[in-house]
Amino acid sequence: MQLHIILNTRAGRGKSEELWQDWQQQLSVVHILHLTQYEGHAIEIAKKIAQDAQKQQQPTCIVAIGGDGTIHEVINGVIGFDFVTVGAIKAGSGNDFARAYRVFGSPGELELFLLNPGREPHDCGIVHLQQPRAFMNSCGIGFDAFVTVLTNGSKVKKRLNQMGLGKLSYLYYVVRGLITFKPFELVVIHNGEERIIKDVWFATICNQPYFGGGMKISPYSKTDDGELELTVVHKLSRIKLLFIFSTVYFGKHLLFKEVTQMSGEDFQLHYNAELFCHTDGEIVEVANHSLSFYVKKHSWYLTK
C-alpha cells in the first residue's frame, strides 16, 4: 500500500508542522509528503493521488495532518475513488472530526495499519452550492455560520490559539453575535412535505454529532447510517439561546421545544435572508437564499 502524507503546515497555529517533524523521525515506512500551499490545494493533491491510484489499481492511503478544514478538502478530493483510504492525524484547533472518526494517535499506530490494512466505508453529506461540495461533519446556515465568519481570522481567536485556548474563541463570538444577528424564516422541504419555521436562529445538517469545537449538536447522528440530521433552533430570546448553547456540549438541547430535529436522506432549505453557509466549519464565501442537501452513502473509506 502506498502512503501519501498531506500536511497543512498552517493548521493549529503551526502545531501540525511540529507534530509531523516528531512523527517523521519515528516513521520507518516509505511515504510521499505533500505540503498544501493555499486554500483548496489539498483537494487538488488528493484528487490527483486518487486518480493515479485508480488508474494503476494501487491500494493507497492518504493521511491528512491538519484540522477539520484539511480533512474536509482531502475527502472532497477522494470521493468516488475505490482504491484510496483516508487516514488523519489531528492537528487543528477544533478537531471535531477526531471526536467521531478514528484518527492515528502515534506513528506506531500508522505503521501497524500499514502492516495489516483495514478500512470501513462512511457517508458524507452533499450540499449544492455553485457546485456540489461534500462535508463529513456538518453544514449550516444562520447564527452558527455568522459566528464562524466573526471567528475566522479574528485577533481574539489568534490570541486564544497562542494560549492553547482556541475552543473558547467560538464561545466568545457566540456571545458577541447575539447582539447583531437577526433570526429568519425557513422553509424546509423534506419527504415531499413543506414546513415553514419562523424566527430561526440557525439550521445545521449533520453527518456526525459534533461541531464548533466539541458541541454535541446532533447526538444521534451516525457516519454510516445512510441519513443526515437537520437541527433547527427557533423562537428563542437571545438570553435563552445563550443558555441553550451551554447545554449543546452535553447534547441536552434537544429537550427544549424550540429545538426541532429531523432525519432523512435529503433536504431542501429556503430562507428569506441572504445567509452565509459553512461546510465543516469553513465559510463558503458566496451568501445565498436556498440550499439543497443529500447523503452520499458509503462514498469514502477511513482507516480501521
Side-chain angles (χ1 to χ4, degrees):
M1 173 174 277
Q2 288 188 348
L3 174 62
H4 291 260
I5 307 293
I6 296 180
L7 170 63
N8 178 0
T9 58
R10 298 176 300 280
R13 65 189 188 280
K15 172 185 174 183
S16 57
E17 187 171 18
E18 295 177 7
L19 181 64
W20 170 242
Q21 289 174 354
D22 181 55
W23 278 56
Q24 196 171 30
Q25 293 175 2
Q26 300 179 56
L27 277 179
S28 60
V29 295
V30 176
H31 59 273
I32 302 171
L33 177 64
H34 309 264
L35 303 180
T36 62
Q37 303 296 325
Y38 47 83
E39 184 177 347
H41 196 196
I43 299 178
E44 299 171 10
I45 296 170
K47 188 171 184 178
K48 179 63 167 59
I49 295 169
Q51 289 172 334
D52 291 343
Q54 194 79 14
K55 184 177 180 179
Q56 299 167 14
Q57 296 193 352
Q58 171 66 54
T60 300
C61 179
I62 299 176
V63 175
I65 306 179
D68 289 345
T70 307
I71 301 167
H72 168 90
E73 290 192 8
V74 169
I75 290 174
N76 270 273
V78 306
I79 285 175
F81 293 98
D82 295 334
F83 284 86
V84 174
T85 303
V86 175
I89 300 169
K90 68 175 183 179
S93 54
N95 296 315
D96 286 316
F97 180 89
R99 292 180 170 86
Y101 300 89
R102 181 185 184 275
V103 298
F104 291 116
S106 68
E109 286 185 11
L110 176 54
E111 293 192 344
L112 284 174
F113 162 77
L114 293 170
L115 288 173
N116 185 24
R119 64 182 193 167
E120 53 191 13
H122 289 272
D123 307 331
C124 68
I126 302 292
V127 56
H128 283 278
L129 299 160
Q130 296 94 329
Q131 58 185 0
R133 192 172 185 91
F135 56 94
M136 71 280 178
N137 293 341
S138 64
C139 179
I141 56 167
F143 185 70
D144 57 336
F146 180 74
V147 171
T148 301
V149 170
L150 293 177
T151 304
N152 287 352
S154 71
K155 293 181 179 179
V156 171
K157 181 179 180 180
K158 291 178 181 177
R159 286 198 295 267
L160 288 172
N161 279 341
Q162 290 170 356
M163 296 184 288
L165 300 172
K167 295 177 185 178
L168 294 180
S169 62
Y170 189 86
L171 185 58
Y172 170 83
Y173 280 104
V174 163
V175 177
R176 182 171 171 179
L178 281 170
I179 301 171
T180 55
F181 184 78
K182 296 180 180 180
F184 57 96
E185 181 175 292
L186 176 69
V187 177
V188 180
I189 301 175
H190 173 52
N191 289 337
E193 297 183 359
E194 182 177 293
R195 179 173 180 178
I196 299 175
I197 306 176
K198 296 182 180 295
D199 298 323
V200 173
W201 282 92
F202 65 88
T204 305
I205 299 279
C206 292
N207 186 48
Q208 63 113 311
Y210 299 96
F211 90 142
M215 293 186 180
K216 204 170 186 180
I217 186 68
S218 188
Y220 305 111
S221 287
K222 296 181 179 180
T223 62
D224 58 359
D225 64 354
E227 290 192 330
L228 301 171
E229 281 67 44
L230 168 64
T231 303
V232 182
V233 176
H234 56 101
K235 292 185 179 179
L236 281 171
S237 68
R238 297 177 191 274
I239 295 299
K240 192 168 184 180
L241 177 65
L242 184 59
F243 173 73
I244 283 184
F245 258 102
S246 70
T247 71
V248 174
Y249 287 99
F250 312 101
K252 300 300 184 182
H253 57 292
L254 296 182
L255 298 175
F256 292 89
K257 64 180 180 180
E258 297 91 349
V259 180
T260 298
Q261 189 171 79
M262 55 193 85
S263 300
E265 296 183 11
D266 58 85
F267 297 90
Q268 292 182 43
L269 306 183
H270 304 275
Y271 25 95
N272 67 343
E274 192 171 72
L275 300 173
F276 284 102
C277 162
H278 73 80
T279 54
D280 293 330
E282 301 297 315
I283 289 295
V284 177
E285 294 301 327
V286 179
N288 56 81
H289 287 275
S290 65
L291 292 171
S292 60
F293 301 85
Y294 70 92
V295 63
K296 197 170 181 65
K297 301 177 183 179
H298 291 185
S299 52
W300 62 282
Y301 294 91
L302 181 70
T303 54
K304 186 178 179 180

